Each structure stands twice: as structure tokens, then as C-alpha cells.
Amino acid sequence: MRKKNSSLPLKSSSKNSLLTILVAGTLILANTFPAWSQLNGRNLAEFQIGQIPGDDSWFVSAYDRMLLDYNLKSFRLGMTLEQYWSPFSERNFIRANQFRIQYKSDKWDIKLGNFYETLGRGTLMRTYQVPGAILEARSYRSRNYFHRDVLGAFAEYQSEKGWSFKFLAGQPYNNVFPPGESFDNRRPDRVLAAGADYQLRSHKFEYNSLYLKNSTVDKWYSMVNTSGNILPELSYYTEFSFDHPGGILGSRDSYALYLNVNVSLDKLNITTEIKDYSNFVIGEAVNEPPALIKQHTYRVLNRSTHVPIPVDESGWQIEASYLLNDESSITLNHARAVNDLAIDFIFSEFFLEYERAINDRWDLRVFTDYANDDVKGEEDRISAGFDLDRLLKNRKSLNFEYEYQTFTRLDGRATNMVLSFSYNAGSKFTGSFVTEYTTDNFLLQSGKDFKFWTGANIKFNPNFRNGFLIFVGTRRGGPACTAGVCYEVLDFEGLELRYTKRF
Amino acid sequence: MKRVFLFASFILLFAFSLNAQVVKNYTLQNLDNQRVNLHDLKGEKITVIDFWTTWCRPCRKAIPELNKIYKAYKGQGVQVIGINCDGPRTVAKVPGVSRTLEIEYPVLIDINSDVINSLNPGNFPTLIILDRDNKIQYFHEGFVPGEEEEFIAAIEKLLKK
């Protein structure tokens, strides 16, 4: 059951005053000890005039996220202020969302407040923030930064003899709920974790224990992992997490197994990963086992990803890359995931990419992909495309991309296409035009046979402190994967201006 | 009106231009799976740090140019360090991609995003240049071919200081 908003409601001028005092106080601190201290931060402001599907009309909204960090020798004091304004008061909020105090020395790392920590490869615990990503859920229609942190305390000690110890206690953030929702909804889990690792030459051995408590669960978990380089050309990583339902030696009905082996043979590199997850969803937002599905940069493939279902998933991923003598490269990837959910749902993908610099001016990437995805009901999904760069004088360049995808779903054939053209002047300026086309029935209005999205982007970074991004037109939504995290992006129609400032 | 004022006040706050940020010492795993202190690797005069990921295409384009910079300046007190920021989903590919790209300078893996979160960049690659006191003297986001000349100019300028 969702609880009513109880923490820091948006109505009091006293709260605005508190934020002003916090910001002003930090600035005063920075000026008090200028010789030894520094204040730095980053602000991201985004304005939208437009609508997403479900809106009756266009409206204006503004989102802002400001990070302030004050450093004094080994100490760091920071906060994150986040706000969203729209004509709909129930969606709006202003929050001092994160506070952090950190002491960092060569041996100790101590954090209080909001922090990020991932144990192993994330089978036991995973937190993150996705740089520059703003999340907007269709259900809440508020906008918030895409991150998952822990509110609590963390301590780590590194010895000179190869040992490392860590301890943490806190409440992870379930980012399904925007900042305007109650604290209990946003942070329903309480975790306590302790662990140690030992480094022996190029091998590492690690153990972590985690205790979870929320309104329905009270449970212990363990994780053991080992990693190392057997030879310079052969490395491995193993991770096994499991629960203790009936005490330390109780029967184990939940586990997550992850294995990885890397082999390098001259110019051939092979990465193999194996997964076996059974009933291993910890709390509402504590862990996130690795997907073992390639994160594609091509749009049609990026959104066709498979999101792991740790309730029951097994499978593997193999990727081989080979560097040819002319410095071109070939990448082959095969991923397979099986979800046993009463019946088997199978995801299978074969991907091939060839990349080469044709000469000093031309650069080409071509790809083809074949997949079947039972969860999405997509059969014989075939994708192909290319990405061509033309380098001009004075660091200017042109880029042209074309991607095509077709698949069968419910006896109907669907097609997706992407066409993109961009002009770059170094990293300072990019102007691009993107158009997308689909005949996918799931995305069409009744009576329509196809749909187009067409938009233009202008990115201008006059210097590293300031950056502007303007979008105008229609933008296709759907699943998106960035920085190893997949999330849902909503369609958008209108004008968007993003301004980032570093100071 | 209050909302507009409050929102505008956050934006205006950034008129402040403050001291250069210092990069603290972090302990990270290298490609040999050994724990390494970032400051133990730093250059005598200048340290160039490239934050990259395996899934970022401009990152892969920047690396051969950083290899050239590493070879050209390593005898002049300049160190180049690659800090990989892949998360659990893609980190397994780091050793293979590093070999495919023939990276010659040290690569550290920041799987927990400790270093990158302290800098809060907007995208990858992000390149910073530190002076001997670990203060950031140059900051650059993104990469297109030819921008390595800017990096070299920044290194040369710092070497003359």
C-alpha cells in the first residue's frame, strides 16, 4: 500500500528558507577557508514545452538538479537539491534529496548520508546513478534524476597487507517512486552488510553478508566471489550469492551464480559469461544481477534489449572481438536467456559488427543482428544498419546512420527504421536530425498503418563549464539502456532546453 | 512568483567560479586484478585521466590518440591513466576491449563509480588533466578526432608553468 506523502511536503516557506540557508551556508564555508577548501558542483536545468502521450495539451515544466560539494582536506560535505515545477501541483516538488559527509584517506573511506555502493557484480547489492538521465514515469508524471543510492552509513578500511573490510547500514532508494512520494515508499528496505576481501598477488577473494528487513521480509544473505588472472591472457571472475532462510545452514531456495572467463589470443579476445538466478530479488531495490545481454549503441537494438528476471533466469553471453591487420575489427556476440516461469521463455540473440577506418577521412561501422524474444513475443527479429563518419577540416565531421529492424508478433510483421544525420564541430557543437518510422501495432493509433517521429537536436558547449542542449520535434520513447541500466523513456513532442553548468 | 524566484536563484548561483577541484586518492583494481592507489600512478608533473566505458564509441576513438600522447610525453613527467567506468553489466568486457584497443597506459576499473561520482561528468569520455597537486586544470567532455590537439596544447601549457 502506498502511503501518503509525509516527508518534507512542498508547501512551506520555511522549507524554501532552509534550502537557501543550506546553499548560503556552504558558500560561506567555502569563503571562510579558501586556502584549504574548495566548493564545486554541477547544475542541470531542463525546461520542456510539450506533451507526452496521455496529456490533453502542451504545458511548460522545469526540472533542476544541483549538486554542491565542499571539500576541506580529507573531508567532503555535499548536498543535492532537486526540484520540478509544472502546472500540476501534485507532481511538483523541491527537495534537498541527498546529503553526504565523507572522510577519505589512503586507508579509510567513511561516508554518512547518501552514498553509492555495489557489492561484487551486483547480485547482492547494486546502486548507481546514470549520468544526465532524468526519469519520468507514466504513473507519477513527475521528473527526477535517475539514480539509486543508499541513505545511511558506510565505512571501508584498506590494509597494506592485502585485506580490505567494509561495513554499511542504510536504506536503498527504490527509484520507481519520485521524490514527492513518501520516505517509506521510496526507501522500504533496511539493509546491514559487512564484508572482507583479501588480495593475493593477482587473485582476490571476497565475502559479504547482508541482512535485509522490510515490511514482509527478514532475511540474511551471503556472497562469495573470487577473481584473478591465471595467465596474462586468461582471467576469471566467479560470484555466488545465496540466502539463509532457516539460519546459517538452512536450505537455500534463492541463489545467484555468475561466472566470467576472459581469454586473449593475440588479436582475438573472447569474453564468456554464465548466469543462473533463482528466486533472487532482494527487497524492493537492493540488488540487480548482471544482465549478460549486450548493451547496444544502435537505437533499434538498444531498445530491443532483454531485461533480466532474477525470479528465474539462466543463460550465457559470449563475445569475441578480432582486430584485423588493417586495424579494422569484427565483433561477434551471442546471448541467451531462459526464464522458467511455468513455461520457458527464451531470449536469443546473435550480433555481428564490422568496424573500419576506410581512410583518414571515412570511418564505417556495419552491423546485423538476429534475435528471438519470447517475453516480448518477437520472432525472427532481424536488424541491420550502418554508421558512417566523414571527417572534414578543422575537427568538423558529418555522421550518417541508418538502421532497419523487422520482426513477427502475433502473426503480424512489424518494421522499425531509424535515419540520422548530424554535423559536428569538435565536441563544442552538434546539430542532428533524427527520424524514426514504425509499423509496430503496439505503437500505432487505431486506424493507422505507420507512425513517424522526427526531431532536431542542437548541442552547444562553449566551454567545459556550460552546456546547452535543445530538442524540438517528436521523440520516440521505449526501453533505453545507458550505463548498464535499462529504463523506460516516454515519447515526447515539443521543445526541450537543457542547460548544464559546472562550477 | 516565489517559484520563479527560487528556480532562478539556483541558476544564478552558478555565476560563482570557484577553486579547482582536487582528485582524492582512490584504490582501484587494475587489469592485472591488483589493487592500485591512484596517486601512486600519477605523473611527476601532470596526470591525464581518461574516464571511459566499453560501450561508448567516442571513448574508443579517443584511446588511440591517448596512446600516442602517452608515448610522446611519458619521459616528461606526464602520466596517462584510463579509468574505466563500466558497471556490472559490461565490466567483464574491459580486459578484452583494452587489449583490442592496445591500450599501453595503466587502466584502472572504477566499478563502484567512486571517482566518477566525485566529479559528476555529463557523459563519456571525460578527460581531466591534473597538476602535481592533483588539482584539475583541464576538463573535457566528449571526443571527436582532432581534439587530441587541444589535449596536447593543455599539456604543453601546464608543462611550461
Side-chain angles (χ1 to χ4, degrees):
Chain A
M1 287 291 286
R2 282 180 52 206
K3 295 183 181 176
K4 285 283 175 194
N5 208 346
S6 61
S7 67
L8 300 173
L10 171 75
K11 57 184 177 183
S12 63
S13 59
S14 61
K15 189 167 166 237
N16 293 347
S17 303
L18 176 65
L19 294 181
T20 308
I21 290 166
L22 283 169
V23 174
T26 310
L27 289 169
I28 290 164
L29 269 175
N31 287 315
T32 309
F33 306 104
W36 309 284
S37 66
Q38 43 173 340
L39 181 68
N40 53 70
R42 181 184 173 88
N43 190 77
L44 187 162
E46 190 170 276
F47 305 87
Q48 284 187 338
I49 305 169
Q51 66 182 107
I52 70 159
D55 286 334
D56 297 330
S57 60
W58 284 27
F59 65 89
V60 179
S61 67
Y63 169 84
D64 188 87
R65 181 186 193 241
M66 181 175 68
L67 283 95
L68 274 175
D69 280 303
Y70 170 74
N71 289 277
L72 178 64
K73 294 187 176 176
S74 299
F75 290 92
R76 177 188 181 205
L77 175 67
M79 71 180 96
T80 305
L81 307 175
E82 204 173 358
Q83 53 182 316
Y84 176 70
W85 302 106
S86 73
F88 310 99
S89 59
E90 71 278 8
R91 300 178 187 176
N92 301 344
F93 66 87
I94 177 165
R95 291 283 186 281
N97 258 345
Q98 293 180 318
F99 293 92
R100 46 193 171 270
I101 300 170
Q102 182 181 20
Y103 170 78
K104 177 87 183 78
S105 68
D106 289 351
K107 290 187 176 179
W108 285 96
D109 189 1
I110 298 170
K111 299 172 195 167
L112 292 172
N114 299 78
F115 61 89
Y116 299 94
E117 180 63 23
T118 295
L119 301 175
R121 294 274 163 99
T123 57
L124 197 61
M125 183 172 186
R126 167 96 201 271
T127 62
Y128 53 80
Q129 61 173 335
V130 181
I134 301 171
L135 200 61
E136 181 173 5
R138 193 184 289 266
S139 51
Y140 291 98
R141 293 304 317 280
S142 190
R143 310 194 78 211
N144 56 290
Y145 203 73
F146 191 23
H147 76 287
R148 198 159 99 179
D149 63 9
V150 182
L151 175 60
F154 171 87
E156 183 173 28
Y157 174 77
Q158 310 253 6
S159 85
E160 288 174 358
K161 295 183 178 175
W163 286 95
S164 166
F165 303 92
K166 68 174 69 165
F167 167 86
L168 71 87
Q171 293 179 264
Y173 174 34
N174 180 3
N175 58 13
V176 170
F177 298 102
E181 291 298 304
S182 76
F183 183 88
D184 289 343
N185 279 336
R186 288 183 296 127
R187 299 185 187 274
D189 302 317
R190 291 162 190 262
V191 296
L192 191 66
D197 65 68
Y198 179 66
Q199 184 86 38
L200 180 64
R201 296 196 183 98
S202 65
H203 299 270
K204 190 176 153 190
F205 308 91
E206 184 173 355
Y207 172 79
N208 285 286
S209 181
L210 182 139
Y211 172 69
L212 165 76
K213 186 173 174 58
N214 60 28
S215 59
T216 56
V217 176
D218 184 348
K219 214 170 185 181
W220 281 96
Y221 297 86
S222 284
M223 179 185 87
V224 286
N225 70 42
T226 60
S227 60
N229 288 13
I230 297 167
L231 299 168
E233 301 82 16
L234 178 64
S235 63
Y236 69 94
Y237 184 97
T238 68
E239 183 165 311
F240 183 55
S241 295
F242 50 93
D243 70 350
H244 300 282
I248 296 295
L249 297 174
S251 62
R252 287 163 194 160
D253 63 352
S254 306
Y255 62 87
L257 173 69
Y258 169 83
L259 305 171
N260 162 225
V261 175
N262 292 320
V263 182
S264 296
L265 301 166
D266 194 18
K267 296 194 171 186
L268 173 68
N269 294 288
I270 302 170
T271 301
T272 308
E273 295 170 279
I274 296 170
K275 64 185 165 186
D276 185 2
Y277 309 143
S278 174
N279 190 23
F280 216 69
V281 179
I282 302 180
E284 297 291 331
V286 179
N287 69 329
E288 193 175 288
L292 276 66
I293 305 294
K294 187 171 178 66
Q295 179 178 299
H296 295 284
T297 53
Y298 302 106
R299 286 178 179 84
V300 294
L301 297 179
N302 185 279
R303 69 166 65 100
S304 297
T305 191
H306 166 77
V307 177
I309 306 171
V311 171
D312 190 299
E313 178 155 325
S314 58
W316 63 80
Q317 179 180 212
I318 301 170
E319 182 162 307
S321 57
Y322 186 74
L323 190 68
L324 300 165
N325 288 335
D326 61 358
E327 303 232 324
S328 60
S329 65
I330 295 174
T331 301
L332 272 160
N333 181 286
H334 170 53
R336 182 180 171 87
V338 180
N339 299 110
D340 182 3
L341 307 168
I343 59 167
D344 280 359
F345 290 84
I346 299 172
F347 171 88
S348 170
E349 181 181 19
F350 296 86
F351 170 80
L352 171 66
E353 183 185 49
Y354 175 69
E355 182 172 4
R356 78 167 289 181
I358 299 168
N359 56 36
D360 288 349
R361 295 281 167 193
W362 291 95
D363 200 2
L364 174 71
R365 280 196 309 167
V366 291
F367 76 92
T368 185
D369 186 273
Y370 175 76
N372 282 285
D373 187 342
D374 288 348
V375 174
K376 290 182 178 167
E378 296 176 359
E379 291 176 31
D380 294 328
R381 194 176 68 209
I382 298 164
S383 311
F386 66 89
D387 181 340
L388 189 64
D389 275 330
R390 168 79 166 102
L391 194 62
L392 307 172
K393 288 180 181 172
N394 301 320
R395 289 176 236 162
K396 295 179 177 62
S397 63
L398 297 172
N399 175 267
F400 181 66
E401 290 177 57
Y402 174 74
E403 298 169 23
Y404 174 85
Q405 183 180 68
T406 181
F407 57 84
T408 302
R409 188 202 289 124
L410 301 173
D411 298 328
R413 199 78 188 157
T415 300
N416 291 306
M417 274 192 272
V418 178
L419 192 66
S420 163
F421 179 77
S422 65
Y423 168 77
N424 306 290
S427 293
K428 287 189 188 303
F429 177 86
T430 300
S432 65
F433 172 84
V434 180
T435 186
E436 297 206 43
Y437 163 86
T438 190
T439 60
D440 186 348
N441 282 328
F442 281 17
L443 302 172
L444 300 179
Q445 291 174 324
S446 60
K448 301 280 185 186
D449 295 327
F450 61 88
K451 184 174 182 179
F452 273 106
W453 294 263
T454 302
N457 291 282
I458 291 175
K459 188 177 88 173
F460 178 52
N461 297 329
N463 50 55
F464 87 87
R465 292 189 186 278
N466 298 283
F468 299 90
L469 187 64
I470 299 169
F471 169 82
V472 62
T474 53
R475 186 169 58 209
R476 181 173 172 171
C481 298
T482 310
V485 183
C486 297
Y487 58 109
E488 192 74 14
V489 176
L490 302 178
D491 278 25
F492 176 71
E493 178 183 0
L495 172 70
E496 185 178 272
L497 168 65
R498 178 179 285 205
Y499 171 51
T500 52
K501 172 78 184 177
R502 177 179 292 282
F503 57 97
Chain B
M1 191 60 196
K2 265 186 182 176
R3 293 176 183 181
V4 175
F5 174 75
L6 196 63
F7 201 86
S9 66
F10 281 115
I11 307 284
L12 288 173
L13 190 65
F14 314 122
F16 288 92
S17 185
L18 299 156
N19 300 334
Q21 189 174 356
V22 171
V23 174
K24 291 194 168 83
N25 194 12
Y26 287 89
T27 305
L28 304 169
Q29 299 288 128
N30 65 11
L31 292 179
D32 296 326
N33 203 44
Q34 288 173 331
R35 215 178 267 151
V36 178
N37 285 326
L38 181 58
H39 285 185
D40 290 345
L41 288 178
K42 71 174 192 173
E44 189 187 327
K45 296 175 184 169
I46 292 171
T47 309
V48 178
I49 300 180
D50 174 44
F51 295 92
W52 67 285
T53 65
T54 56
W55 45 265
C56 147
R57 194 179 171 209
C59 299
R60 297 168 76 122
K61 288 196 168 188
I63 284 168
E65 303 306 326
L66 293 169
N67 259 342
K68 290 177 194 166
I69 290 173
Y70 172 68
K71 282 187 264 190
Y73 286 93
K74 66 180 176 185
Q76 300 178 46
V78 178
Q79 172 68 299
V80 179
I81 301 169
I83 295 188
N84 176 273
C85 302
D86 278 82
R89 177 169 173 157
T90 47
V91 73
K93 291 166 186 162
V94 177
V97 172
S98 300
R99 281 183 178 270
T100 302
L101 294 170
E102 300 176 324
I103 301 178
E104 296 188 26
Y105 47 83
V107 173
L108 304 178
I109 300 172
D110 186 20
I111 190 171
N112 208 26
S113 302
D114 286 329
V115 189
I116 199 78
N117 282 343
S118 71
L119 300 173
N120 283 295
N123 53 44
F124 294 107
T126 289
L127 183 133
I128 59 174
I129 301 181
L130 313 180
D131 62 16
R132 64 176 78 226
D133 299 321
N134 304 312
K135 283 185 179 173
I136 299 175
Q137 299 295 341
Y138 179 82
F139 193 107
H140 186 93
E141 289 182 349
F143 179 81
V144 295
E147 285 188 325
E148 65 277 9
E149 290 165 22
E150 274 186 34
F151 307 157
I152 291 168
I155 291 168
E156 292 284 354
K157 187 178 167 187
L158 282 168
L159 282 174
K160 285 175 188 165
K161 271 190 176 178

